[in-house]
């Protein structure tokens, strides 16, 4: 089976400032990582260890300084911005700590939005968005605005929006970071269910109990995988 994620020797160096004041940060220092279809992986490690950087590279929001990365078997090196955007749109669903729902759109229209960029006709978009919201248990909140939803419900709308495109990989950066314990549980139960359905999930978290829900914990320290790699 082709791994969903396959990376070898990935480094990321950020350069800030200029001239004598240039500062280099080695955010990733040679990461080898493979994630198989259907795996549920938690990415853990101290603040600044490179978790978000690694997630951004995996999700094609950023590119490595060095090393090889294949998403679904396809090498991404040398692709144009437009090509990367197209692959990202088709293959990756993102969930962030801060939800990023559009406040003036209903749950249904927030979830339908990514399909606009894929040229899906309106009736079909709404049908798929409704099915995605039903799948996350929000079939009775289609016409609610984000301000009319609880934190856990907002995050479930964001998860439905990520799933509506049927991505190969669901990436979640601290998805429970803004939630109280009951809302966190709602979201984690949903990830458990998605995992049982065969979805491939990579979740960044600080919290041990959250990471323990995954099948495997990959731990980063100072830009290196120190546990659970490959
Ligand atoms: N755009 C950037 N420009 C310069 N340095 C950056 C940039 N983004 C991250 N860094 C640096 O890279 C290192 C890794 O950052 P990253 O955001 O990946 O950490 P993290 O593990 O996600 O931390 P946290 O748990 O706090 O979210 C940090 O030292 C950070 O300061
Ligand atoms: Mg981070």
């Amino acid at each position: 089976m082709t791994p969903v994620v396959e990376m070898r020797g990935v480094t990321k160096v950020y350069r800030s400032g200029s001239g004598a004041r240039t500062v280099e940060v080695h955010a990733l220092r040679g990461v080898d990582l493979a994630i198989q279809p259907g795996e549920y992986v938690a990415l853990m490690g101290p603040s600044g260890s490179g978790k978000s950087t690694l997630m951004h590279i995996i999700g094609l929001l950023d590119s490595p300084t060095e090393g090889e990365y294949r998403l679904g078997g396809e090498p991404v090196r040398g692709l144009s911005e437009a090509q990367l955007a197209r692959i990202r749109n088709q293959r990756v669903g993102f969930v962030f700590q801060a939800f990023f729902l559009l406040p003036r759109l209903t749950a249904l229209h927030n979830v339908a939005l990514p399909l606009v960029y894929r040229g899906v006709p309106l009736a079909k978009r709404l049908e798929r968005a409704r099915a995605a919201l039903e799948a996350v248990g929000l079939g009775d909140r289609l016409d609610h605005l984000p301000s009319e939803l609880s934190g856990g419900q907002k995050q479930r709308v964001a998860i439905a929006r990520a799933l509506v495109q049927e991505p190969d990989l669901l990436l979640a950066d601290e998805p429970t970071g803004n939630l109280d314990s009951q809302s966190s549980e709602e979201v984690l139960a949903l990830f458990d269910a998605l995992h049982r359905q065969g979805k491939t999930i990579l979740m960044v978290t600080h919290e041990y109990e959250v990471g323990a829900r995954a099948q495997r914990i990959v731990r980063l320290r100072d830009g290196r995988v120190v546990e659970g790699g490959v």
Side-chain angles (χ1 to χ4, degrees), residues 48 50-53 173-174 204 206:
K51 302 181 298 295
S52 294
T53 300
D173 198 348
E174 302 261 4
V204 173
H206 269 113

Side-chain angles (χ1 to χ4, degrees), residues 22-211:
T22 303
V23 175
E24 282 194 351
V25 176
H26 292 257
L28 298 176
R29 301 170 183 265
V31 171
D32 299 338
L33 183 66
I35 299 176
Q36 306 300 329
E39 267 201 292
Y40 179 11
V41 177
L43 182 59
M44 302 192 70
S47 183
S49 58
K51 302 181 298 295
S52 294
T53 300
L54 182 58
M55 246 208 37
H56 291 159
I57 290 175
I58 289 173
L60 308 182
L61 292 170
D62 204 349
S63 47
T65 306
E66 284 174 70
E68 292 301 324
Y69 174 40
R70 290 167 187 263
L71 177 62
E74 277 185 62
V76 300
R77 182 202 286 275
L79 298 182
S80 69
E81 271 308 314
Q83 288 170 318
L84 289 171
R86 191 166 41 76
I87 298 174
R88 179 166 64 232
N89 199 259
Q90 288 172 357
R91 291 185 176 259
V92 188
F94 289 96
V95 176
F96 297 98
Q97 181 173 348
F99 320 130
F100 295 129
L101 300 177
L102 295 180
R104 289 175 188 279
L105 295 188
T106 61
L108 186 69
H109 283 95
N110 264 287
V111 173
L113 194 59
L115 299 173
V116 171
Y117 310 111
R118 294 185 65 174
V120 179
L122 177 66
K124 197 85 193 148
R125 290 204 294 274
L126 296 181
E127 188 186 311
R128 283 175 59 180
R130 175 196 293 267
L133 282 163
E134 281 167 0
V136 301
L138 290 176
D140 55 352
R141 295 290 189 277
L142 303 180
D143 296 324
H144 285 233
L145 294 169
S147 59
E148 297 166 340
L149 297 169
S150 73
Q153 289 170 341
K154 278 185 240 193
Q155 192 60 296
R156 285 191 282 152
V157 172
I159 294 168
R161 179 183 56 189
L163 292 173
V164 78
Q165 315 183 71
E166 296 177 3
D168 300 335
L169 177 63
L170 185 61
L171 293 176
D173 198 348
E174 302 261 4
T176 61
N178 267 344
L179 302 178
D180 61 37
S181 57
Q182 190 187 327
S183 298
S184 292
E185 182 50 42
E186 278 176 27
V187 166
L188 292 173
L190 177 57
F191 281 122
D192 291 344
L194 293 171
H195 175 226
R196 284 195 299 274
Q197 290 162 26
K199 300 271 188 260
T200 312
I201 305 169
L202 177 66
M203 175 180 65
V204 173
T205 182
H206 269 113
E207 294 166 83
Y208 180 77
E209 315 82 76
V210 173

